[in-house]
Amino acid sequence: MQLKGVIRFFTIVLSVVCLYQLSFTIAARMVESRAEKFARSKTGSVPADLKGQARVLFEDSLDREFRRIRREYLDSVQNETALNLGIVKYTYKECRDRQINLGLDLKGGMNLVLEISEDDVLRKLAYNSKNPVFNKAIELAVKKQAEKEGDFLTLFAEAFKEVDPNAKLATIFAPIEAYQGKINYNSTNEEVIKVLRADMKAAIGNTYNVLKTRIDQFGVAAPNISLQEGTGRIILELPGVDDPTRVRKILSQTAQLEFWDTYENEEIINYLDQANTVLRNRLSLKKETTETGDTASAKAGEDVASLLLGDSAKAPSKDTTLKTAEDTANKNVNPLFEVLYPSVYQDGQTYRTAEGPIVGRAYGKDTAKVNRLLALEEVRAVFPRDLKLLWGSKPVSKDANVFALYAIKKNPASDEAPLSGDVITDAIQTYDQFGIPEVDITMNSLGASKWEKMTEAAFNGEVNGRPVKKCIAIVLDNRVYSAPRVQAKISGGRSQITGIDDLEEAIDLANVLKSGKLEARTRVVEEQVIGPSLGKEAIRSGLMSLILGFVVVFLFMVSYYSSSGLIANIAMILNLFLIIGIIASIPGATFTLPGMAGIVLTLGMAVDANVIINERIREELARGKGIRLAIEEGYRRSYAAIIDGNLTTMVVGIVLLVFGLGPVKGFATVLVIGLFTSMFTAVLFSRLIFDFVFQRNWQVQFGNRFTMNLFKNFNYDFIGKRKISYAISGTLVVLSLISCIFFGFDLGVDFKGGRSYVVKFDKDVTTAEVSKAIAQKIGSTPQVKTYGAAHTVNITTAYLIDQNDEKADSIVLDAIYESVKGIYQTPVDKATFEKNYVKSSVKIGPTIADDIRRGAWWAGIFGILGVFLYILVRFRKIEYALGAILALIHDPLIVLGVFSAFRHFMPFSLEIDQHIVAAILTLIGYSVNDTVIVFDRIREYLGLYPTRTLEENVNNSINNTLSRTIMTAVTVLLVALILFIFGGEAIRGFSFALILGILIGTYSSIFVAAPIVVDLMNRKNKK
């Protein structure tokens, strides 16, 4: 071997680099372990006599305290040396930033896909044009986007032409100052779209940058945020996040900060009273007209009754309607003040008007009613034109869900605020003199000048001729955050936002203001939340399967190949080390549960190269060659088969990398890395070990008396029995197609859209009782399956998935909680349920589900096409390519048929999701690997024995490679079985698909692919 020095050099360099990269992870983990021990010592434990709900609450408080102390400990040591390499030292912060990142499925956390509302961006670029053609075209483009592929502006251009072929976009955008010099009245629609495309891209980029800044300042360890070009989607991975509600709030805020002048309550209270009188008169009119049966006139008062009384005001019976009207007249003498409590207080026997801009308060459930009552045309006519009523951003009391209504004074001719957040240059969290958190904001010179004038006018304000220091309302996203009274003119552009409850809120608000406002609305189209406990279970099961898989393969190789198997195991150990080290070296790479499964599977597939080499060496030994020559010949004759087998699997890995999302991409990354390292360690490094052994005159055995001759004299007529195999395969394929067509599949939530929750109970439950309870609440039957243990279920529902309302997520979770809370033995409140019993949640919107389905189809098509082209180029005959492809189509069809036919009979889920697509593509790679080995031997024998018949050469090829085929299948099957048993519920369907695929793929390589090649070649020769 001429390149021993080069291989030895690369082995040492790769090992040193991997060890260097892994040292950061080791150092960071050691510091974090000390932080956990310190936090545990400070928090103590739950008293043994504490039971039930009290115990749960105590555990929750201890957990919060533990996380706080751990975070403070790590913050305090982040600049201390954690890794000392002599020449260079690294702090804990530097080690943490360079360590292997654990994915959400191993660490817990939150994954989000945000879709930027491109229609919203376009409207803003057009300054909310009222042009009917423009707005109809936007609505049509949104519908088109849901039905077919294409970027939004292209679809908009199509829609604009459909709505009015003669309309010109230039008439909308040319008058806008921002487009002077870019668009004129003679610009074509294509030219306008080109300009808009650049501005659209910039707006989406700005939205991405704002969100990235917010997340970076949020304090998440190793966040990952990326923009999918051309889709308007932003992908966020936030490992370790334990407060999803807080994250959603930060990401959803548009950060539209405004400063408004205010009215005093005493200036508005009389108008409220007049509004109440107007509403009372309308209710009275309702009663009178109902009594006389004048239903047309009754309509005038019906809306108020409906607002206050709900559906009871619309009862069909005349008696009921009369009764409702009478109750309203007698009981609700003050219709508005029944839901809005005016800001007055009792001073002795007198009611006095409260000071400040708060004109009333209402319960959270009644704010929508108040809004609708105040929006009635006759009511609006009562109030001054420059009055704007806004609700406070949060309840006025922690104990009651009551919100304050503020009286804002605006310019009658404009809705624009006197001062907006655009002038803010910095925002930091501080404390006031009493230690209460607040946010200190700094403005630019223009903002400082306007702020000085506003505060001076408020300081010198007056009401009814007397001087009054007025308030200025600080409004964020159309909600009043606070309205402090101005005590003096403020110069210099500095101010404080008060009314903040806790430190986290102050930090988040400063973060949002500093990062800037969003250019466009965003909506969550995919969300996954995994609790930390589920992550720990995944780590435990993943490590268990990894260790057991390694041990099983290790023992199998030694027991079958003796000392040469030990050499293969040494190569396998280096392979495992290199895979993990290379993953640690990739910036932003994340280690996921499918990634761990990929390592386990790679170990099994890595044995394939060693098996090929060992079997070739054994063949050469059987021909009477000496051991050194046999090893040299065995390696030389193995190169083509190993390279062909690995490169065909590489094609599949690359397809998964291109089309896969999230965990599937992590699996594909490990698979591709593993294929490279496997070839290096099995082909090159193991050869170095043999040389090392021979230099010391150590004896090497390639089997024992039981295994050396196990397949030696095997000579089965596979080709002669091909009609039987065709009949078996044909029957299985037809049955699979029938099942797939007529019985379908259980599609996972990522393929059909919806929400999925893994919910744990405090006792064993049946899926029927959970399903029935939820169906009664939401009106549709969810899909409920046992998730591992009998006390844990997976609940999937499409309830409200089409609604873009931000509150839809919480409404669905509330409905599930209300449905299942009666099933628990110990009463569970909503907060405890969400934190301790919802182990994970997934949300996939309809649009992204469509994209995932399309991606899966393209992945399958390109995977099979790539393998076809590779085999065609490599073997130079289309018969080989067709034989391999027909076998490849045969394998996944049967696997899908089993998933379809047996989905209701298995004790675990057989849902078709992204993981199953990854498994099917992987088995395609594995199957073609097997097939290529047989084809390679056929090609070799056709050259060596041209006088033999085709059937003879093919039969001999299959028989002579049978030991390698069986041994590889057994090792990979053992690993897949370990994944299935110990890998955890999350990848059970994935590993089951692999087990099926290995069995069917091994069968098809022998009984389907090679016989098809024979028939195709014979047909060609006859012509």
Side-chain angles (χ1 to χ4, degrees), residues 551-561 607 967 970-971 974:
V551 169
V552 166
V553 172
F554 189 97
L555 293 175
F556 179 81
M557 291 299 289
V558 172
S559 63
Y560 192 84
Y561 291 108
V607 173
M967 287 307 100
V970 168
T971 51
L974 285 172

Side-chain angles (χ1 to χ4, degrees), residues 101 154 406 593 673 918 969:
N101 298 322
T154 301
Y406 290 79
L593 184 59
I673 292 170

Side-chain angles (χ1 to χ4, degrees), residues 18-211:
C18 289
L19 186 61
Y20 169 74
Q21 293 293 342
L22 287 171
S23 64
F24 296 110
T25 300
I26 295 168
R29 292 285 188 271
M30 289 174 66
V31 174
E32 288 163 4
S33 178
R34 290 197 295 271
E36 288 188 8
K37 288 179 181 177
F38 177 78
R40 292 289 178 209
S41 67
K42 295 294 184 182
T43 53
S45 59
V46 182
D49 58 341
L50 210 56
K51 305 294 181 183
Q53 188 70 14
R55 185 178 184 86
V56 171
L57 293 173
F58 199 94
E59 286 175 346
D60 188 43
S61 63
L62 280 184
D63 183 55
R64 284 199 305 270
E65 185 67 9
F66 165 78
R67 283 186 277 109
R68 184 189 65 79
I69 295 173
R70 180 180 179 276
R71 184 173 61 246
E72 289 177 354
Y73 180 96
L74 292 176
D75 288 343
S76 68
V77 300
Q78 64 176 341
N79 294 318
E80 293 183 7
T81 300
L83 180 62
N84 189 344
L85 298 178
I87 302 174
V88 62
K89 297 178 181 178
Y90 295 95
T91 65
Y92 163 68
K93 185 177 184 300
E94 291 170 325
C95 291
R96 184 194 66 197
D97 293 342
R98 300 175 71 169
Q99 69 178 338
I100 295 178
N101 298 322
L102 294 180
L104 303 184
D105 48 5
L106 295 178
K107 191 175 182 179
M110 194 173 188
N111 175 284
L112 292 147
V113 177
L114 302 175
E115 191 169 71
I116 297 170
S117 299
E118 294 174 290
D119 55 322
D120 186 46
V121 177
L122 185 57
R123 283 192 172 94
K124 286 187 176 180
L125 293 177
Y127 281 69
N128 293 312
S129 170
K130 304 299 183 185
N131 185 293
V133 176
F134 175 77
N135 286 295
K136 284 180 182 177
I138 287 180
E139 292 173 8
L140 182 57
V142 171
K143 291 180 182 177
K144 285 175 174 283
Q145 196 174 35
E147 296 168 357
K148 65 177 185 177
E149 294 185 68
D151 69 273
F152 182 77
L153 272 180
T154 301
L155 297 175
F156 168 76
E158 292 177 9
F160 192 80
K161 190 173 182 180
E162 286 179 27
V163 174
D164 187 348
N166 299 316
K168 294 194 67 177
L169 284 168
T171 59
I172 299 170
F173 291 94
I176 298 173
E177 186 178 350
Y179 291 106
Q180 299 297 319
K182 296 180 183 178
I183 298 173
N184 58 55
Y185 285 97
N186 295 320
S187 298
T188 65
N189 287 352
E190 290 74 18
E191 290 171 339
V192 174
I193 290 293
K194 186 177 180 180
V195 174
L196 293 178
R197 194 177 299 281
D199 285 358
M200 177 82 80
K201 185 176 180 180
I204 290 173
N206 289 338
T207 300
Y208 165 74
N209 290 330
V210 167
L211 291 176

Side-chain angles (χ1 to χ4, degrees), residues 959-970:
N959 281 293
N960 289 335
T961 57
L962 192 61
S963 59
R964 174 261 159 202
T965 302
I966 298 299
M967 287 307 100
T968 301
V970 168

Side-chain angles (χ1 to χ4, degrees), residues 770-785:
V770 176
S771 178
K772 182 180 179 182
I774 297 173
Q776 288 175 346
K777 181 70 177 178
I778 66 176
S780 60
T781 303
Q783 187 180 68
V784 181
K785 295 182 178 179

Side-chain angles (χ1 to χ4, degrees), residues 756-1016:
S756 180
Y757 304 89
V758 174
V759 178
K760 181 181 176 182
F761 292 87
D762 58 0
K763 65 173 184 176
D764 290 351
V765 296
T766 64
T767 57
E769 67 175 318
V770 176
S771 178
K772 182 180 179 182
I774 297 173
Q776 288 175 346
K777 181 70 177 178
I778 66 176
S780 60
T781 303
Q783 187 180 68
V784 181
K785 295 182 178 179
T786 301
Y787 191 86
H791 57 66
T792 305
V793 297
N794 183 282
I795 301 167
T796 303
T797 176
Y799 180 55
L800 300 185
I801 194 61
D802 292 323
Q803 290 199 8
N804 293 324
D805 188 352
E806 292 177 2
K807 296 180 180 179
D809 293 333
S810 60
I811 292 171
V812 175
L813 190 56
D814 285 346
I816 290 176
Y817 165 69
E818 292 295 333
S819 304
V820 303
K821 67 179 182 181
I823 299 175
Y824 286 87
Q825 290 179 318
T826 304
V828 176
D829 61 36
K830 172 69 179 351
T832 304
F833 171 77
E834 188 171 353
K835 183 173 182 58
N836 295 337
Y837 291 101
V838 179
K839 312 304 285 183
S840 73
S841 65
V842 177
K843 171 191 172 183
I844 306 285
T847 56
I848 201 164
D850 291 341
D851 290 352
I852 291 172
R853 282 199 303 272
R854 278 195 294 266
W857 278 110
W858 285 118
I861 291 168
F862 280 113
I864 292 175
L865 182 62
V867 169
F868 176 83
L869 291 174
Y870 179 83
I871 293 177
L872 183 63
V873 170
R874 188 71 179 85
F875 289 87
R876 307 291 178 87
K877 287 188 176 182
I878 197 169
E879 290 84 1
Y880 287 109
L882 288 173
I885 293 307
L886 288 172
L888 292 189
I889 294 172
H890 160 280
D891 298 349
L893 263 180
I894 295 175
V895 172
L896 289 172
V898 171
F899 269 67
S900 171
F902 293 93
R903 68 188 192 277
H904 296 308
F905 306 104
M906 290 294 182
F908 51 89
S909 174
L910 289 184
E911 283 186 350
I912 301 293
D913 57 16
Q914 291 185 81
H915 295 103
I916 302 304
V917 173
I920 288 173
L921 285 171
T922 303
L923 74 88
I924 285 174
Y926 170 81
S927 179
V928 79
N929 191 337
D930 260 0
T931 304
V932 164
I933 301 300
V934 176
F935 284 0
D936 192 72
R937 189 63 66 93
I938 292 171
R939 181 175 56 180
E940 180 185 339
Y941 277 16
L942 287 174
L944 289 174
Y945 311 108
T947 58
R948 293 178 182 175
T949 65
L950 178 62
E951 285 81 358
E952 224 180 329
N953 275 322
V954 173
N955 256 332
N956 289 338
S957 298
I958 297 173
N959 281 293
N960 289 335
T961 57
L962 192 61
S963 59
R964 174 261 159 202
T965 302
I966 298 299
M967 287 307 100
T968 301
V970 168
T971 51
V972 180
L973 186 61
L974 285 172
V975 169
L977 280 169
I978 287 166
L979 273 177
F980 178 76
I981 297 168
F982 299 103
E985 196 67 29
I987 58 171
R988 188 145 288 144
F990 169 86
S991 50
F992 180 71
L994 287 178
I995 291 170
L996 282 177
I998 292 163
L999 294 172
I1000 297 167
T1002 303
Y1003 161 82
S1004 68
S1005 298
I1006 298 170
F1007 292 97
V1008 178
I1012 287 174
V1013 171
V1014 171
D1015 285 336
L1016 290 172

